[in-house]
């Protein structure tokens, strides 16, 4: 449970960690756009090389990334099953009676798998190398222009940062509650359906109680320190855009151009 | 039958950037039918240690023997439920584990999980709630309407109702009022004395160690650095200094008297002390 990697910040001091959060967020969006350019596997190869280079620069271990992808395994299996039943392109690879699995289904699944993997890698790269607070600050700065049309930029950023801040806390809490209930004989793996429902209840109820309690405590703490959502404030930390940030953006734009090139040429 | 740690090491999140060695090569034998205090500074690994006792945590190296069960690193233990029936663990801040609609059902939850019948479980709940110093009228109330201290009592009752042979308590009295804490400690002492239970208790309160415990285990930076009976522990001036533990008042007074040449008996209560002083002064 504690080993959940998705969305977790890894405290290291690499060039990638030191980049401006705004640059990283922009780069992430540009890369996500690049993924949706239909440049086939070659396009994904280009993006993949760029992403892997960044992962290397950020000092992230390969198995950390693999762990971050684990939660989507189930989805991919589901996707494979659906594709196998629906897509009838290409040649039949396996035939079971009147039902065949076609190569098109496999290729299509593989294609989506690669796409999802890249997306998880890119977002993990952002969350693993950017402190939640910096991330919020970045989001807030990027949303600032929309304030004029009534987007509550600061509030959105604050909500995101609180949510991110509490992910590890809730994971820890879940872990604790699992242990406490396990001591009371709860068995999450075995037992009848009724016992399983009871087991899940014995985890969810305390988790909700503690989450609401924490929310209330946090609200009180913020209020007693004079937090007012709309107030103008100065910043202790001011973001600074450096040459490496520009390089990151240029790099991602190059990737997009390459992808567009591949798409148009092929 | 005994509880033994053999070269036990525990590493949290191994092979990740969060890797943390919480226990180093712990060798330890804990006596049965005694009350053993586990002390040490915050972060010294006490909670980690006690969670090995019912295999909530498995050693990453070494082995833990609990009665005839052996939990070995790198081996998936089977049928842990039977172990958890024998070793009841009360977590630090157990009030967060309450979830049922009524206190009765919450306390009966543990026993029922271990295959006790509904009626028997409820009978045990009735007994357990009285043991922890609340009356039966609480049983039909929601556990969420209680004060923090009352919740703690209900959570402890939930473990007592499982009737484990070995009861492990992680700072059960932290945050309770002094009177309530004393009652709790008296309850644990009674469970040991009258019901022949084994009690292992993590605590920071030296008065409790002195008044209720038989043995002391000291943890420091993930190592077990001292194990002895209570008297010898409080006689280790250097160790106490090193741990920044202030010994209980009576121990200090006795030390000062001894330095001035008083002959005192071993017992650590004020009655005996006063008698001793009177006797010495009269001489
Ligand atoms: N789930 C975990 N993941 C990583 N490290 C942990 C985890 N739980 C505890 N630790 C670390 O292991 C060390 C020992 O923790 P432990 O909870 O055993 O201490 P403790 O002696 O019980 O302290 P306290 O008196 O504060 O309860 C601490 O430094 C803690 O940071
Ligand atoms: Mg602890």
């Amino acid at each position: 449970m504690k080993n959940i990697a998705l969305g977790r910040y890894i405290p290291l001091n690499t060039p990638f960690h030191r980049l401006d959060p705004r640059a990283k967020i922009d780069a992430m969006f540009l890369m996500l756009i690049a993924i949706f350019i239909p440049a086939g596997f070659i396009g994904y190869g280009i993006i993949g090389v760029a992403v892997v280079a960044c992962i290397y620069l950020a000092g992230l271990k390969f198995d950390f990334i693999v762990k971050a992808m684990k939660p989507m395994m189930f989805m991919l299996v589901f996707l494979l099953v659906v594709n196998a039943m629906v897509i009838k392109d290409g040649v039949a690879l396996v035939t079971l009676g009147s039902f065949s699995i076609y190569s098109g289904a496999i290729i299509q699944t593989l294609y989506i798998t690669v796409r999802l993997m890249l997306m998880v890698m890119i977002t993990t790269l952002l969350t693993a190398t950017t402190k939640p607070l910096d991330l919020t600050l970045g989001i807030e700065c990027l949303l600032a222009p929309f304030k004029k049309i009534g987007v509550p930029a600061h509030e959105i950023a604050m909500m995101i940062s609180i949510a991110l801040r509490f992910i590890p806390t809730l994971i820890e809490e879940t872990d604790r509650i699992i242990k406490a209930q396990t001591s009371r004989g709860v068995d999450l793996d075995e037992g009848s359906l009724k016992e399983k429902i009871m087991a899940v209840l014995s985890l969810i109820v305390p988790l909700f109680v503690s989450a609401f309690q924490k929310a209330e405590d946090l609200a009180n703490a913020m209020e007693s320190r004079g937090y007012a959502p709309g107030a103008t404030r100065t910043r202790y930390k001011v973001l600074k855009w450096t040459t490496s940030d520009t390089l990151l953006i240029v790099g991602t734009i190059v990737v997009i151009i390459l992808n567009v090139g591949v798409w148009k040429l092929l | 039958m005994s509880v033994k740690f053999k070269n036990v090491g525990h590493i949290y999140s191994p092979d990740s950037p969060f890797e943390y060695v919480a226990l180093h090569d712990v060798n330890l034998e804990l006596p049965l039918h005694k009350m053993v205090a586990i002390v040490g500074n915050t972060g010294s690994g006490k909670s980690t240690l006690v969670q090995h006792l019912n295999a909530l945590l498995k050693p990453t190296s070494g082995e833990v023997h609990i009665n005839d069960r052996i939990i070995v690193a790198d081996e998936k233990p089977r049928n842990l439920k039977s172990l958890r029936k024998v070793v009841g663990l009360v977590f630090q801040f157990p009030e967060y584990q309450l979830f049922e609609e009524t206190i009765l059902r919450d306390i009966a939850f543990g026993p029922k999980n271990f295959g006790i019948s509904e009626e028997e479980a409820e009978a045990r709940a009735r007994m357990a709630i009285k043991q922890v110093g609340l009356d039966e009228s609480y049983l039909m109330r929601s556990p969420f309407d209680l004060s923090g201290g009352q919740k703690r009592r209900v959570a402890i009752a939930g473990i007592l109702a499982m009737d484990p042979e070995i009861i492990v308590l992680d700072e059960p009295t932290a945050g309770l009022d002094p009177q309530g804490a004393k009652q709790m400690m008296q309850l644990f002492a009674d469970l040991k004395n009258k019901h022949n239970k084994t009690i292992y208790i993590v605590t920071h309160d030296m008065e409790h160690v002195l008044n209720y415990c038989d043995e002391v285990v000291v943890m420091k930076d993930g190592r077990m650095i001292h194990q002895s009976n209570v008297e010898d522990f409080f006689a280790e001036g250097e160790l106490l200094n090193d741990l920044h533990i202030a010994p209980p008042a009576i121990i200090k007074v006795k030390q000062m008297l001894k330095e001035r040449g008083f002959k005192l008996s071993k017992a650590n209560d004020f009655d005996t002390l006063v008698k001793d002083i009177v006797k010495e002064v009269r001489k």
Side-chain angles (χ1 to χ4, degrees):
Chain A
M1 208 57 195
K2 273 165 308 212
N3 295 328
I4 286 186
L6 195 64
R8 188 158 191 177
Y9 174 64
I10 306 288
L12 291 173
N13 190 11
T14 69
F16 208 88
H17 281 72
R18 287 191 296 268
L19 288 172
D20 191 309
R22 288 170 298 183
K24 284 191 265 190
I25 296 169
D26 285 342
M28 181 187 84
F29 276 112
L30 290 174
M31 280 305 235
L32 291 181
I33 292 170
I35 287 179
F36 284 96
I37 298 171
F41 283 108
I42 301 174
Y44 285 166
I46 297 168
I47 298 172
V49 169
V51 171
V52 168
C54 289
I55 289 174
Y56 176 76
L57 264 183
L60 298 178
K61 283 194 189 141
F62 184 68
D63 39 334
F64 177 76
I65 304 283
V66 172
K67 260 184 205 161
M69 290 182 196
K70 262 192 194 150
M72 63 177 204
M73 282 307 175
F74 174 73
M75 227 168 81
L76 290 178
V77 172
F78 184 68
L79 195 75
L80 180 65
V81 173
V82 172
N83 276 348
M85 292 199 286
V86 175
I87 299 176
K88 303 288 177 204
D89 302 339
V91 287
L93 294 175
V94 188
T95 307
L96 288 170
S98 61
F99 177 75
S100 328
I101 296 177
Y102 290 87
S103 61
I106 303 291
I107 290 173
Q108 185 62 22
T109 309
L110 205 61
Y111 197 69
I112 297 177
T113 306
V114 174
R115 174 181 286 183
L116 278 175
M117 273 166 62
L118 285 174
M119 277 164 50
V120 171
M121 277 156 106
I122 290 165
T123 40
T124 305
L125 200 50
L126 175 71
T127 50
T129 63
T130 317
K131 288 191 196 111
L133 274 181
D134 289 348
L135 202 57
T136 328
L137 197 54
I139 294 170
E140 193 175 341
C141 288
L142 293 173
L143 284 178
F146 301 106
K147 265 187 192 162
K148 292 206 185 70
I149 56 163
V151 176
H154 172 78
E155 284 82 349
I156 291 175
M158 180 56 90
M159 267 157 43
I160 294 174
S161 82
I162 290 175
L164 287 175
R165 158 68 187 74
F166 275 96
I167 290 171
T169 310
L170 287 181
I171 291 172
E172 250 166 55
E173 197 69 22
T174 312
D175 198 53
R176 245 180 61 92
I177 293 169
I178 288 179
K179 279 184 181 169
Q181 305 298 30
T182 309
S183 303
R184 293 214 274 169
V186 167
D187 194 333
L188 285 170
D189 304 325
E190 285 158 39
S192 65
L193 184 67
K194 189 172 164 247
E195 281 170 333
K196 275 205 178 128
I197 292 174
M198 213 47 192
V200 170
L201 263 186
S202 79
L203 302 183
I204 294 205
V205 174
L207 195 62
F208 267 84
V209 169
S210 110
F212 280 114
Q213 184 65 48
K214 286 206 164 71
E216 201 176 315
D217 289 350
L218 181 69
N220 285 336
M222 284 166 77
E223 212 163 316
S224 58
R225 285 195 254 170
Y227 173 78
T232 29
R233 46 187 288 222
T234 53
R235 297 245 171 240
Y236 172 66
K237 179 158 182 171
V238 180
L239 297 179
K240 245 178 38 207
W241 191 277
T242 61
T243 329
S244 359
D245 299 311
T246 314
L247 276 177
L248 180 72
I249 300 296
V250 171
T252 37
I253 291 174
V254 169
V255 171
I256 291 186
I257 292 172
L258 283 175
N259 269 278
V260 174
V262 173
W263 171 35
K264 288 293 169 202
L265 286 177
L266 295 183
Chain B
M1 291 288 173
S2 68
V3 174
K4 252 188 255 172
F5 284 70
K6 279 191 185 163
N7 306 98
V8 171
H10 188 86
I11 305 175
Y12 282 111
S13 330
D15 306 319
S16 82
F18 303 98
E19 180 171 301
Y20 186 88
V21 184
L23 291 182
H24 295 268
D25 194 29
V26 173
N27 284 292
L28 186 61
E29 181 162 1
L30 294 170
L32 293 179
H33 313 300
K34 289 260 158 64
M35 185 137 150
V36 181
I38 295 152
V39 304
N41 289 332
T42 174
S44 56
K46 304 181 295 294
S47 299
T48 308
L49 183 80
V50 296
Q51 283 172 42
H52 282 80
L53 290 169
N54 71 347
L56 281 180
L57 293 180
K58 272 173 281 161
T60 45
S61 59
E63 46 192 64
V64 181
H65 297 229
I66 297 139
N67 290 346
D68 44 4
R69 293 293 305 261
I70 304 178
I71 312 283
V72 188
D74 317 314
E75 205 173 276
K76 203 172 159 62
R78 281 171 200 288
N79 197 6
L80 287 175
K81 225 166 161 172
S82 66
L83 173 64
R84 291 182 180 137
K85 193 174 178 199
V86 177
V87 183
L89 182 99
V90 179
F91 258 75
Q92 217 164 353
F93 304 112
E95 43 274 33
Y96 296 114
Q97 72 199 33
L98 304 175
F99 76 101
E100 273 282 15
E101 265 167 85
T102 65
I103 291 173
L104 175 68
R105 290 177 56 143
D106 207 287
I107 299 179
F109 178 66
K112 275 193 285 191
N113 282 329
F114 289 113
I116 308 287
S117 73
E118 184 99 24
E119 291 128 54
E120 168 71 12
E122 291 195 357
R124 285 188 183 188
R126 281 173 212 287
M127 203 169 86
I129 192 104
K130 277 183 265 172
Q131 280 184 317
V132 296
L134 297 174
D135 60 70
E136 276 195 39
S137 68
Y138 280 92
L139 286 174
M140 283 306 148
R141 289 170 58 177
S142 157
F144 298 107
D145 295 342
L146 301 176
S147 77
Q150 289 169 332
K151 279 186 197 163
R152 174 84 53 90
R153 286 160 193 258
V154 170
I156 292 176
I159 301 292
L160 295 185
M162 285 159 36
D163 196 29
E165 281 167 41
I166 300 175
I167 305 170
V168 185
L169 302 128
D170 196 346
E171 300 192 38
T173 61
L176 287 187
D177 63 290
Q179 189 57 37
K182 234 176 154 171
Q183 282 171 7
M184 276 290 157
M185 292 305 294
Q186 193 54 54
L187 164 65
F188 305 142
D190 285 348
L191 285 170
K192 181 197 74 176
N193 295 330
K194 295 182 191 152
H195 301 271
N196 213 16
K197 302 278 179 199
T198 302
I199 314 268
Y200 301 143
I201 181 168
V202 175
T203 179
H204 288 284
D205 192 319
M206 292 304 135
E207 296 284 347
H208 292 170
V209 174
L210 179 69
N211 293 328
Y212 301 99
C213 296
D214 306 301
E215 265 200 34
V216 184
V217 168
V218 182
M219 296 297 296
K220 189 186 177 191
D221 301 331
R223 292 169 207 279
M224 198 276 291
I225 57 164
H226 180 90
Q227 182 177 18
S228 71
N229 63 32
V230 171
E231 269 152 40
D232 292 349
F233 169 66
F234 284 118
E236 297 261 351
E238 252 174 63
L239 178 72
L240 296 183
N241 253 334
D242 184 36
L243 294 167
H244 306 289
I245 291 176
I250 189 162
I251 299 282
K252 269 196 237 165
V253 172
K254 277 176 75 173
Q255 269 165 5
M256 288 157 92
L257 288 169
K258 273 184 194 157
E259 278 163 25
R260 285 168 177 74
F262 277 69
K263 284 210 177 56
L264 304 172
S265 49
K266 273 214 154 180
N268 284 318
D269 62 283
F270 280 103
D271 268 349
T272 326
L273 180 61
V274 171
K275 272 182 208 145
D276 285 350
I277 296 175
V278 171
K279 209 163 68 194
E280 287 281 300
V281 173
R282 288 225 171 108
K283 264 204 272 193

